[in-house]
Amino acid sequence: MKMSFRWYGETDPISLQYIRQIPNMRSIVSAVYDVKPGEVWPEESIEKMKKQCEDNGLVFDVVESIPVHEDIKLGRNNVDELLNVYCENIRRCAKYGVKCVTYNFMPVFDWTRTQLDKEAADGSTSLVMYWEQMKGLDPLKDDIHLPGWDSSYSQDEVRELISAYGELGEEGLWENLEKFLKKVIPVAEECGVRMAIHPDDPPYPIFGIPRIITCEENLDRMLSIVDSPANSLCLCTGSLGCAASNDVVAMIKKYSAMDRIAFMHMRNILILDDGSFEEQGHLSSCGSLDMYEITKALVETGFDGYVRPDHGRMIWGETGKPGYGLYDRALGATYINGLFEACEKALNK
Ligand code: DNO
């Protein structure tokens, strides 16, 4: 496996110099952040990032994300032009050494949480999704700004988008995903890039917005649209894992054996009795997922893709981007390194 770490570029309070000090750290996961979805990434920005990483003994070979414009997901008029831009961005990233591009096909919003700084008994804070806090909220009627939601949308735009997705429905979203994959995957193949779709987080509908990258049946369907290693998964344990019906270990065994996992996001979550969930420390004993079995499944299927310690808690007084502090993600990386070493040694005995 190739250990990696997400870095938000020059505005990230965590320096590449600190990141490189984490044992076994190899790759930087990043993106060009000052360009809107649907626009071409300047080559100079990609080249600069590559150089900054190299100057710190790191490799910039994973992009997270090239965002998919809402009009692609909705199949609106200008979709062909937007798909061309998307393909051009893949080509440009590949030109500077990128091997894996993560993206998602979630309508309107990326991950949904109700609080980003829930304090635990030990004084650490983490992201949580409590149904209790969601109850009674209706984005079509109320002005809602859930933490983490893109604040560049006005409430009216949010309402318009939510209604449009409601009309589109799941099958409409599948059709638009199919069009996207059929256009983008051949380009990725051509330039040696693996596209890695991130599952919906959480993997069930919220506010009636369709969600399709949610469960084994749907992952099978997505992968069969274009049967190629360039059409792969970013298997996020914490996203798929917060639906108790998803057997994350079984999914990893299956998709890794098929060589359809390009990127692993590894983190643990604790599912509560009412289906709410809390992000926790990475250890198996901290949450609902068995991180040892997850790693073992990867090692036994010969996984050699990218791994990153996903969201950490905020600990030791650190402040910064929720989920993306240095300390707990570094602890996560170290734990994951240990799991891999143990599983690899056990396998080779
Ligand atoms: C959350 C991340 C996601 C992920 C996107 C990929 O912290 O895992 O925001 O980057 O869904 O497009």
Side-chain angles (χ1 to χ4, degrees):
M1 62 100 169
K2 302 178 191 79
M3 183 56 85
S4 67
F5 207 77
R6 193 171 193 181
W7 182 61
Y8 283 95
E10 278 164 344
T11 60
D12 195 322
I14 301 159
S15 69
L16 289 172
Q17 204 194 341
Y18 281 8
I19 295 172
R20 79 183 293 188
Q21 292 171 350
I22 302 167
N24 194 35
M25 196 45 68
R26 175 193 188 278
S27 289
I28 286 297
V29 178
S30 194
V32 173
Y33 288 105
D34 53 1
V35 177
K36 287 205 213 100
E39 288 174 14
V40 172
W41 288 6
E43 285 197 37
E44 311 78 73
S45 308
I46 308 171
E47 192 176 13
K48 187 171 170 204
M49 188 157 286
K50 174 183 163 73
K51 171 122 192 348
Q52 286 171 316
C53 292
E54 282 170 3
D55 288 349
N56 283 284
L58 296 160
V59 195
F60 172 47
D61 50 0
V62 184
V63 162
E64 179 172 342
S65 314
I66 304 181
V68 180
H69 196 283
E70 295 305 322
D71 288 352
I72 295 181
K73 290 181 256 176
L74 282 164
R76 286 184 167 162
N77 293 337
N78 51 342
V79 80
D80 291 327
E81 170 58 22
L82 289 168
L83 286 173
N84 286 336
V85 170
Y86 202 96
C87 291
E88 177 58 19
N89 280 335
I90 296 174
R91 285 192 199 94
R92 288 184 179 199
C93 290
K95 182 171 165 191
Y96 294 95
V98 169
K99 301 286 179 222
C100 175
V101 170
T102 316
Y103 66 103
N104 71 71
F105 223 74
M106 286 180 246
V108 205
F109 303 114
D110 202 327
W111 46 270
T112 300
R113 301 287 185 276
T114 52
Q115 194 180 338
L116 305 185
D117 58 353
K118 172 77 174 91
E119 193 169 327
D122 63 4
S124 63
T125 63
S126 75
L127 292 78
V128 299
M129 211 281 288
Y130 289 150
W131 284 113
E132 195 53 38
Q133 294 173 332
M134 291 283 271
K135 251 197 326 218
L137 295 182
D138 179 353
L140 290 177
K141 292 205 208 100
D142 316 317
D143 284 356
I144 299 179
H145 275 299
L146 282 182
W149 280 14
D150 184 345
S151 54
S152 65
Y153 291 118
S154 69
Q155 287 293 318
D156 284 341
E157 284 169 323
V158 169
R159 285 193 191 103
E160 192 272 325
L161 279 171
I162 292 181
S163 322
Y165 278 108
E167 275 163 41
L168 183 72
E170 281 191 13
E171 278 311 311
L173 192 58
W174 275 113
E175 265 170 45
N176 297 336
L177 176 62
E178 181 166 344
K179 180 161 185 184
F180 172 83
L181 293 173
K182 288 192 166 153
K183 172 84 186 188
V184 162
I185 299 298
V187 173
E189 258 171 0
E190 220 175 83
C191 50
V193 164
R194 296 187 75 179
M195 298 298 298
I197 196 166
H198 188 284
D200 296 350
D201 181 0
Y204 35 75
I206 304 249
F207 301 137
I209 303 173
R211 297 279 215 184
I212 55 177
I213 308 301
T214 52
C215 61
E216 186 173 340
E217 190 189 345
N218 290 13
L219 293 182
D220 284 346
R221 179 171 172 183
M222 181 268 160
L223 292 174
S224 69
I225 292 173
V226 183
D227 190 13
S228 158
N231 179 28
S232 281
L233 306 172
C234 165
L235 201 144
C236 176
T237 59
S239 302
L240 289 170
C242 52
S245 51
N246 281 335
D247 181 342
V248 178
V249 175
M251 285 172 160
I252 292 173
K253 277 188 193 150
K254 172 171 162 179
Y255 298 119
S256 176
M258 289 162 63
D259 191 21
R260 299 302 282 280
I261 303 179
F263 191 15
M264 283 297 303
H265 281 185
M266 292 181 68
R267 67 180 159 88
N268 207 349
I269 40 92
L270 180 69
I271 306 181
L272 308 180
D273 290 343
D274 69 346
S276 300
F277 60 89
E278 297 173 341
E279 297 192 1
Q280 294 282 352
H282 292 81
L283 263 75
S284 305
S285 56
C286 295
S288 303
L289 300 178
D290 188 329
M291 304 307 281
Y292 166 73
E293 288 296 337
I294 284 172
T295 311
K296 190 159 162 270
L298 289 168
V299 169
E300 289 180 354
T301 49
F303 176 78
D304 70 350
Y306 298 92
V307 171
R308 76 169 175 82
D310 203 5
H311 305 182
R313 304 156 303 148
M314 281 299 174
I315 60 172
W316 302 340
E318 189 178 19
T319 52
K321 203 174 170 55
Y324 287 96
L326 172 64
Y327 305 142
D328 202 36
R329 282 190 300 153
L331 290 178
T334 297
Y335 169 61
I336 294 165
N337 280 331
L339 287 176
F340 269 90
E341 180 177 335
C343 290
E344 280 160 8
K345 286 196 169 149
L347 185 72
N348 296 326
K349 239 194 212 146

